[in-house]
Structures are given as C-alpha cells and as structure tokens.
Amino acid sequence: MKLWKTLSTSVVSCLHSRWASCFVTAAALIHTTVAAQENVIGPPDILQYPVEASAQAEGALEIAFLRDQIEKGADLAFCETLMQQAGKWPPAEPREFTASDCLPEFKSKVAANQGIVHWESESSRPTKCGLDCVSRPFLNQTYNVGRPNVRRASLHGHLHLFVEPEGDYVPNNRSVSLPFDAFFECSTANGARNGTFRAEIDFGFPIVGDPGFWESVVNALLAPANVSARTESGIRRQLSNFGSRSESTIECASIGASRPANSADDSATFDFVKAGRAPTVRGDVAQLRDQATIEFLRIKRNPLPGLIAPEIARPGDPAAGQFSVFLNGLERFLPPEGLALPPEGGSAGINYCTTIDMTGADRLQIIFANDLGGAVWSQFYPAENFGAGQPRTMTTGRTVVVPGIPRFDPVTGRTEPAKPEARLLTEFELLYRITYTPRPDVVAQPPAAAPPTGGVRPGRLGETGIRPGQPPPVAVDPTAPPPQPCQKI
C-alpha cells in the first residue's frame, strides 16, 4: 500500500407532544410539492458538494493524533513561558520558539507538571483525559451569511491548566479552563466539487474563577493562539509526509465523522478523489453538459424606511457599490469594476451573465451580497427546471441598530426611556433571469421531487428573520432599451 493511500494507516498511527393533524398534513404537502426557496435572509443551505463521507472512506485523521498534537503544542508553550520567566528567552534576534529551543531543565519541569503554568494533573493531559476533555467528533456545517455553507466535522474540548504566579500580587493560585473547537473540512473554492483536507483548531478565552485574575498574569502565561498555531503546524508537518504530496494538499471528495464503539478510535474521515476529472462549477462550461446561464439585469436601491437616519445607508462609502454573487459556490463580482449607485429608489442596468455546469447538481443556489453586509439567497430544484423562465428578484437584508422611541407605560403612568432597536434593512434588489439547457444527449425524464434541505423556508418573519413570500416572476421593465448581448463575468 502506498504511504499516501490512507491517512488512517499512516498519519493516524502517528498522529414533544404530537403535532396537530393539520400541521402533519401541511408538512407532507411541503415535501411532496416543495417549491423554490426565494428571498431568504439568513445562512444559506449547505452546498451539495463536498458530500458526506462514505462508510468505506479510506482517508481519516484520528482524534488520538489530534490529542497528541494539542498536548505537544501546549507543552511547548509551557516551556517557552518558563524560559521567559527565567530570562532564557527570547534571544537577541527574536524568532519562533521551537521544540529544539526547549532546554532540558525546562523540559523536565514541563514533564513533571511544575512551574508557573502546567497541567492541572497528569490525567488532564489530552492523551489521557478521555472524553472528559475532548468530545467525540460529529458532523455539522458552517453558518455563514452572505457566503456558501458546507458540511464539516467538528469536536469540542477544553484544557485543564493550573497557574501558580509568583509574588503577592495575586491572592490565590487558580485552575484555568482553556476551551477549544476543532474543525475538519474538505476545503473547496469557487464551487469545486473536490477540495483539500484541512484541520483547524480554534481556542477560546481562558475561563478562571475571579474577575481580573487573568489580566494580572496574562504576560506570564501562554497565549492560546500559540497552542493553536503549533497544533496546526504539527498536523501540517505530518500531512506533508505522504509521498510526493506537498503540505496540506491531500485531495478529498467528502468529509465525515467516524464514531466506532471504542471512542479511542474516533476519526474525521474523507473519501479520496476518484480517478478522472469530476465536474466542477465554473465559468467555462464544456459542451454536452447540463448548463445554467444566469443573467444579471438590474440593481435597484430601495429608499430607506421611515425613522431611519440617512447615515445608516453610509452615503459615499465605496462598499455600497460592491456586490458579490455565488452560483452553487462559484463567486463573481457584480459588476467587476463596482457600481455607480443610483439615488435611493433608482435603478442601474448592468447586463452581465455567467454560465455554470449543472451536471449532477441537485439545486441551483444563488447568493447575492453587498459589501455593507446585506445578503439574500434563493434556491431552485430540478423539478422546477432550476428556476428557468421569466426574470425574478431578490433583495438583500441586513440588521441595523437604530435609536428607539420612548414608550408610555399605562400601568405606571410614566414614559419609559428609549432603547436601541434592531431593524431589518432591505436595501438592494437584484433583477435576474435563469436559462437552463440540459445536454442534448439526455432523454427527458419525469421531474423528481426536490430533496429536503436544511434551510428555513420563507414565511416566518417574527421567528426567523426571513421575509415571507415567494414572489411571482417579475416582468422586465418595458421602458428599458432593447436587450444587448450580456457581458460574461
């Protein structure tokens, strides 16, 4: 077996009540006659690719290896702290602290849990704490707003440390809990269906007993970022040992979380990319493939609602004229050079288009985002011809905080002071049109039911922040000039 064939055999070894009947009926109708999700404000559904790892996935990063790397990273940070305290670090020409810089006397202290900062006990070490400090991996997703979301494997954990600061300026020694999250992703760009396996460790703020304690000793203790960076660099070094593959470039087609009977064998899993070039979402679609062309026709700037101060729209800010669209993950800037914004209530014609590969796709997801922070997404399924037909609109939304209005309380007879209020600002409307062209060698099949999705459908503004309604197709402005060939972006 080639060294790079599987991570699990190489890196890994080193490394409430019932619903009312009407709601049941309504839910059944939704799944059998599911329609497009349009004008949704909030995190978009996860993309179809990369898919969930198969049960036979050959690639794996064992959690035991992750534990070992976290422990080594923390030990190295402990050693650096002790050497700084003793005046043995940094050198005259500062550089990164490495394992070879840890002198034997300080390495012995770290191993014996001695010094200003150390493990709370020997059993607190990640390699020995079991499920008490590191959870089992699970599959979840990212929750971006205004960008595509993908599935990923995650786990939670925390390091139990003990701090013994010198001097009388701190009343007591303290236990410190350092929380962290680990994320494993088949990282892709621009809607690619395959990506590279990536592990990321994100440490949070230390949790201590007394307020202000951390600040009093912060200069003497390890920085969480150091542990995170050293853990990740250790993983990258191991990944770089797979044959001729370079650092952090192990290709993957999926991501998953394996939880066997014995938690010591937990791992983040992924499938290797199969031979041959898989279809990708891109702007230069080959012939004899399913294609969708999205035309961007007009951007309208909605007037501010009443009682919203003009400065909320940030007049003069160049970001207001910068837009991005994501088409099944493929990013395009709209327009590429930025838009000369019309006044409030005005429109600007744009006439751009992009053609993408839809072969094997289970949806067409369109995200429209503005650099001020507003975003919106719509999604169409094969049963609806991926939304092809007459032009449609989608309008960005962003939450702004505005001064509140004093309110009279009839019970107390007094006027309550005004409190800031959050408002949803629906700002920029995009007019677009979809044309879907299946490849000519495919025999027409009856439309399949659209797959269930993880997103929230429109219609519950009060609970979800999603604007209700799936508006009917919008007619092109009859006063517009004759259509010209669109400019490809």
Side-chain angles (χ1 to χ4, degrees), residues 414-425:
R414 292 179 294 184
T415 300
E416 297 179 349
K419 299 179 181 178
E421 299 178 359
R423 299 280 181 86
L424 181 65
L425 184 61

Side-chain angles (χ1 to χ4, degrees), residues 354-392:
T354 296
T355 299
I356 65 173
D357 188 350
M358 295 294 294
T359 307
D362 68 353
R363 76 197 73 175
L364 171 57
Q365 183 185 89
I366 302 173
I367 303 173
F368 176 49
N370 176 254
D371 279 11
L372 292 181
V376 61
W377 60 279
S378 294
Q379 191 162 270
F380 306 93
Y381 303 104
E384 307 156 321
N385 215 26
F386 293 111
Q390 293 297 311
R392 302 171 181 271

Side-chain angles (χ1 to χ4, degrees), residues 79-80 83-91 94-98 101:
C79 186
E80 181 181 6
M83 289 181 61
Q84 285 177 338
Q85 181 194 24
K88 302 290 186 179
W89 189 264
R95 55 182 172 79
E96 182 182 0
F97 187 82
T98 65
D101 296 314

Side-chain angles (χ1 to χ4, degrees), residues 12 17-18 71 125 130-131 134 153-154 178 196 216-217 306-307 337 359 440 442 445 480:
V12 172
S17 60
R18 285 187 175 178
E71 184 171 317
R125 291 178 173 272
L131 297 178
V134 180
S154 305
L178 187 59
T196 56
S216 67
V217 295
L307 303 180
E337 67 280 1
T359 307
V442 174
Q445 299 290 333

Side-chain angles (χ1 to χ4, degrees), residues 323-457:
F323 300 87
S324 298
V325 289
F326 295 88
L327 310 169
N328 279 4
L330 177 71
E331 183 177 14
R332 289 289 184 265
F333 297 103
L334 184 65
E337 67 280 1
L339 180 67
L341 283 172
E344 292 182 14
S347 299
I350 46 180
N351 198 27
Y352 291 94
C353 61
T354 296
T355 299
I356 65 173
D357 188 350
M358 295 294 294
T359 307
D362 68 353
R363 76 197 73 175
L364 171 57
Q365 183 185 89
I366 302 173
I367 303 173
F368 176 49
N370 176 254
D371 279 11
L372 292 181
V376 61
W377 60 279
S378 294
Q379 191 162 270
F380 306 93
Y381 303 104
E384 307 156 321
N385 215 26
F386 293 111
Q390 293 297 311
R392 302 171 181 271
T393 62
M394 55 199 306
T395 306
T396 64
R398 63 182 173 107
T399 301
V400 296
V401 178
V402 299
I405 302 174
R407 300 182 184 278
F408 177 76
D409 188 338
V411 177
T412 62
R414 292 179 294 184
T415 300
E416 297 179 349
K419 299 179 181 178
E421 299 178 359
R423 299 280 181 86
L424 181 65
L425 184 61
T426 54
E427 207 160 8
F428 297 101
E429 177 187 280
L430 172 68
L431 178 68
Y432 67 101
R433 177 170 47 214
I434 301 167
T435 302
Y436 174 62
T437 308
R439 58 190 185 273
D441 59 334
V442 174
V443 178
Q445 299 290 333
T453 64
V456 182
R457 287 177 173 76

